[in-house]
Amino acid sequence: MHMYIGGEWTDRDDKISVINPFNNSIVDTVPSATTDDVELAINSAVSGAKDIATLSGYERYQILRKAADLLEERTEDFARTITLEEGKVISEGRLEVSRAVQTMTLSAEESKRIHGEMVPLDGAPGWSGQLGFTLRVPCGVVTAISPFNFPLNLVCHKVGPALAAGNSVIIKPATDTPLSALKLTEILLEAGVPTGAIQCITGSGSSIGDPLVADSRVRKVTFTGSRDIGERICKTAGLKKVTMELGSNAPLIVMPDADIDKVVKATVSSGFSNAGQVCISAQRIITHEKVYGDYLDALSSEVELINTGDPLDESVKMGPMVRSQDAERVNGWIKEAVNAGARTVVGGEYSGAVHQATVVADVNPDMRISCEELFGPAVAVTRSAGIDEAIKMANDSNYGLSAGIFTQDIDWAMKFAREVESGNLMINSGPQYRADLMPYGGLKESGMGKEGPRYAVEEMTELKMVVYHP
């Protein structure tokens, strides 16, 4: 496929191969952009920002609504593309397309809801009839840098609100998984987005990332990815707005009154979907000592049923990780924990990029499999003596993106909600729950700013204060 910059589908002699992580076959190739391509994309986006800003909110709604409809019509094609380039099983690919349709639909609706407010200046001393109100206006050019793990939906979470707010947007998809973003760009152009208002540039972040975020004509950067890259972007971006959706090692607290069957189902769905490559995957299972053994027995039985293999096979429950070196890393962390005193209850083996769903028990919170972001198909189970110790363990992390608790005790639930340092808090659910209507974002080193179309539109606009003096 070609990249889209300067109003044209553009190729380059230097290519990047998109690899199927299951069998290492080449799915397609994309151009490897240069810094000259970045300059062309930004120049075009500056012009495109003026074009899209002239459209009414309703016109932007019509474009995004049409894009959502076109995306839904092509569900199977997009789902297969996602599976081939990223490795998630085809049922999860279809679910991602469904989520992306919702994201674009809500973004379309938000196009019609951008407004300011009256400011009661008569509440200030010395008022003499001034009338105050705010206007919410587009930032201008938005750079959107997306990760590999949701190559369609997390692009939509950036592009949909950016266009809804009247900005132009430069998409920089993950190097491993650019195909879904390029196909989305085709749909947006077909739906009527002005040609300069959308760019999709492909290449490695190391070569084109810095110029994409450093340029002063870019007024907003939205990024989802690792904590270290996020910090580099913040340092490089300079004086512009940024939204950072970074890493996590999400805790799930299991109290003694929890329904173990529900906890096990939530652990499996939150811990092993997309081979654990989700920033809000359940990673640290902090389990009360009274139900520790029962929980491990029930969890082991369910995890043993997770078969791995070709993600296009409808019967397969978990596909490969995106790269074989990631599976190797995850396995290394598991062995490191076992050598330090933990034990593997289920799984623990890998071949190529395919790693078994794994349960590691008796994990000390200081072990790397617990205190750092694993981003793979394993959960680390740790004993706790009560709610206070469980909350202390949950907070003993540089991250704070999502956390969950299972309990029927309202006091424990509210203590969890008040005291756990996380941007998203789930009671009687795994930490992976997310709906587009939510303000989604993290605390501490999990980032800053919020996603979800309504809240992302606020992040992608500027507020102007107007005072009329009689």
Side-chain angles (χ1 to χ4, degrees), residues 51-299:
D51 294 336
I52 194 168
T54 64
L55 300 180
S56 69
Y58 186 75
E59 289 171 322
R60 297 195 299 274
Y61 158 79
Q62 289 179 305
I63 291 170
L64 291 172
R65 179 66 258 189
K66 183 176 180 181
D69 291 340
L70 290 171
L71 182 56
E72 187 168 30
E73 290 173 8
R74 302 174 193 178
T75 292
E76 200 61 25
D77 175 53
F78 270 89
R80 183 178 175 84
T81 299
I82 290 167
T83 293
L84 287 173
E85 67 177 339
E86 197 269 346
K88 66 182 59 172
V89 293
I90 188 66
S91 60
E92 291 179 359
R94 294 185 187 112
L95 179 60
E96 180 172 346
V97 180
S98 174
R99 286 291 313 280
V101 171
Q102 296 173 40
T103 302
M104 296 301 286
T105 299
L106 279 176
S107 297
E109 292 293 335
E110 290 303 323
S111 300
K112 302 183 291 185
R113 299 171 184 165
I114 299 170
H115 60 84
E117 62 181 8
M118 299 300 298
V119 179
L121 296 179
D122 61 326
W127 179 73
S128 57
Q130 292 89 348
L131 177 67
F133 58 94
T134 61
L135 296 174
R136 191 167 285 281
V137 300
C139 290
V141 177
V142 174
T143 288
I145 304 175
S146 61
F148 74 82
N149 57 332
F150 289 90
L152 176 64
N153 193 34
L154 290 184
V155 174
C156 289
H157 267 290
K158 301 176 185 309
V159 173
L163 296 174
N167 300 291
S168 64
V169 59
I170 303 170
I171 309 167
K172 163 55 181 82
T175 310
D176 291 308
T177 57
L179 304 180
S180 299
L182 290 166
K183 289 189 173 186
L184 177 67
T185 302
E186 292 175 348
I187 277 181
L188 288 166
L189 290 167
E190 184 178 344
V193 172
T195 56
I198 184 91
Q199 320 283 320
C200 190
I201 186 168
T202 54
S204 68
S206 59
S207 61
I208 64 174
D210 285 353
L212 272 174
V213 302
D215 197 292
S216 61
R217 292 168 294 177
V218 173
R219 300 309 308 148
K220 166 75 180 182
V221 176
T222 173
F223 169 77
T224 299
S226 72
R227 176 250 178 234
D228 291 346
I229 298 299
E231 182 177 39
R232 174 172 174 163
I233 288 173
C234 286
K235 290 178 178 178
T236 305
L239 297 176
K240 55 175 64 76
K241 300 182 76 173
V242 295
T243 295
M244 294 284 119
E245 298 290 347
L246 308 178
S248 180
N249 56 354
L252 175 60
I253 296 172
V254 184
M255 297 305 293
D257 62 340
D259 183 323
I260 295 300
D261 288 340
K262 290 183 179 179
V263 179
V264 167
K265 289 178 181 177
T267 307
V268 171
S269 62
S270 289
F272 299 103
S273 64
N274 198 20
Q277 299 168 118
V278 184
C279 53
I280 49 178
S281 284
Q283 179 177 331
R284 298 178 290 149
I285 317 300
I286 303 168
T287 308
H288 195 279
E289 57 193 11
K290 289 183 178 180
V291 294
Y292 187 82
D294 292 341
Y295 168 70
L296 274 178
D297 289 343
L299 178 64

Side-chain angles (χ1 to χ4, degrees), residues 351-362:
S351 176
V354 179
H355 197 292
Q356 292 178 329
T358 302
V359 177
V360 184
D362 304 341

